């Protein structure tokens, strides 16, 4: 069962205290921050569509 579907106190505590989950979320945040803004991609995508 997915962690998000089982909203038990134990699961919520893990989401708040598990260092591995916190580190993974921080990594995803860094990856998202490094991505270009969607508005910057529009001209490139439009050029590809031509």
């Amino acid at each position: 069962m997915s962690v998000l579907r089982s909203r038990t106190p134990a699961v919520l505590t893990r989401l708040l205290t598990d260092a591995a989950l916190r580190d993974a979320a921080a990594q995803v945040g860094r990856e998202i921050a490094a991505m270009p803004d969607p508005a910057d991609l529009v001209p490139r995508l439009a050029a590809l569509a031509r």
Side-chain angles (χ1 to χ4, degrees):
M1 177 179 275
S2 168
V3 171
L4 295 177
R5 290 186 184 164
S6 56
R7 288 166 265 178
T8 65
V11 169
L12 294 174
T13 298
R14 179 176 176 219
L15 288 172
L16 294 172
T17 61
D18 189 315
L21 293 176
R22 182 182 58 246
D23 293 345
Q27 178 62 32
V28 170
R30 286 189 296 273
E31 291 174 12
I32 291 171
M35 291 178 179
D37 289 335
D40 295 336
L41 294 177
V42 171
R44 292 172 57 189
L45 293 173
L48 289 172
R50 293 184 191 139

